[in-house]
Amino acid sequence: MERERRVAAGTTADPTLRRALGAIAASTVRLATVDPVTTEIVRMRCAKHHDCGT
Amino acid sequence: MRPDARHERVGPVATVVEQRRTIVRMGALGTMPTDTVLDRVLGTGATGHRDVHADMTAAHDAAWAAVSPRLLELCRVRIATMLGCEVEANARTADSDAPAELLDAIGAWPTDHRFEAADRACLAFTEHYVIDVASVDDATVAAVRDHLGDDGVQSFVSALLVVEQRIRLRLMWDRLFAAGAPGSMED
């Protein structure tokens, strides 16, 4: 679904917070306790739930 | 990374079972503050995820620094009540400047005149976010933007993610590591 912009182009979250969220994503991706198939299914489910097409 | 290479790093099932036993032996998580739960599950070495613990702690600190502590505290308590996390709902963040009487009346925000316009905008957004994040409508976002500005909206949503994620994680761990829980592997 296409949406209009809700914030101005170039808007960013607080830089420290943005970097911290990126670090969580990176460290989570590095986890290897769960097998790749389950990990991918969960990732896709989360993307669908969040309406994230990226 | 090749999928099979990632598989090679997966520890044996026995290790995972032992990790779970270690956490269960630490005591029931359900009554502990969320900081303690995170530390016990991620930071003690039981699961070997100290890097994730450090990153989550840094994000939590950044969230509270980036957003009005009053607004974030109101929203944190609202999230906790919606998700049924009693420990978080009853906890109070030091120096948040959120009045205790407002936190105690958080469920009444739509009609309670003590809540300010910015409180209402952020709480409406928060409820929508928790219920169905993909369907948050333009008007709900615009109301928050009117009070916080464009950058403020982005920081607020990011901070909300951090707060909600912590509560959901601890709720899941409360159940997963509860002694006697369904599927429990205790001896």
Side-chain angles (χ1 to χ4, degrees):
Chain A
M1 180 173 63
E2 290 295 321
R3 289 199 177 108
E4 297 293 318
R5 291 197 67 89
R6 292 169 162 181
V7 292
T11 299
T12 58
D14 174 84
T16 304
L17 179 54
R18 197 174 72 244
R19 279 194 297 272
L21 285 171
I24 290 180
S27 59
T28 303
V29 166
R30 287 195 298 270
L31 296 176
T33 308
V34 180
D35 69 90
V37 173
T38 305
T39 300
E40 183 65 0
I41 289 171
V42 171
R43 187 193 66 77
M44 292 178 71
R45 175 70 183 93
C46 291
K48 177 78 175 172
H49 180 69
H50 289 98
D51 193 22
C52 179
T54 305
Chain B
M1 179 189 301
R2 292 178 298 113
D4 54 340
R6 194 163 187 239
H7 257 314
E8 290 163 8
R9 292 167 48 209
V10 176
V13 172
T15 302
V16 176
V17 171
E18 185 50 39
Q19 288 171 347
R20 186 184 187 281
R21 285 185 175 140
T22 301
I23 293 167
V24 169
R25 275 197 296 270
M26 294 174 186
L29 301 177
T31 57
M32 297 176 184
T34 299
D35 282 345
T36 307
V37 173
L38 284 167
D39 184 53
R40 295 214 172 191
V41 176
L42 295 176
T44 59
T47 57
H49 301 321
R50 283 181 177 156
D51 55 341
V52 180
H53 181 248
D55 290 334
M56 289 186 69
T57 301
H60 189 245
D61 293 344
W64 286 91
V67 175
S68 153
R70 170 198 165 98
L71 287 175
L72 198 54
E73 179 71 347
L74 290 171
C75 295
R76 183 191 65 77
V77 172
R78 185 64 188 127
I79 292 170
T81 58
M82 291 177 75
L83 297 179
C85 185
E86 195 172 339
V87 172
E88 278 284 327
N90 292 331
R92 297 292 177 259
T93 303
D95 303 324
S96 75
D97 292 332
E101 62 271 21
L102 286 192
L103 294 169
D104 292 341
I106 197 70
W109 71 264
T111 55
D112 191 321
H113 67 277
R114 293 174 297 177
F115 288 88
E116 299 173 359
D119 301 340
R120 293 176 191 283
C122 291
L123 285 163
F125 184 99
T126 299
E127 291 192 351
H128 216 134
Y129 179 99
V130 171
I131 293 168
D132 185 2
V133 68
S135 73
V136 178
D137 57 88
D138 291 346
T140 303
V141 177
V144 177
R145 194 180 60 223
D146 286 346
H147 293 284
L148 304 184
D150 283 356
D151 287 347
V153 169
Q154 198 124 336
S155 293
F156 173 71
V157 175
S158 299
L160 214 53
L161 166 66
V162 172
V163 169
E164 187 212 26
Q165 179 188 59
R166 284 168 61 93
I167 295 174
R168 286 192 187 274
L169 263 178
R170 77 144 303 152
L171 283 170
M172 186 270 293
W173 287 332
D174 288 349
R175 286 154 181 75
L176 190 62
F177 297 128
S184 170
M185 293 178 280
E186 280 73 64
D187 296 329

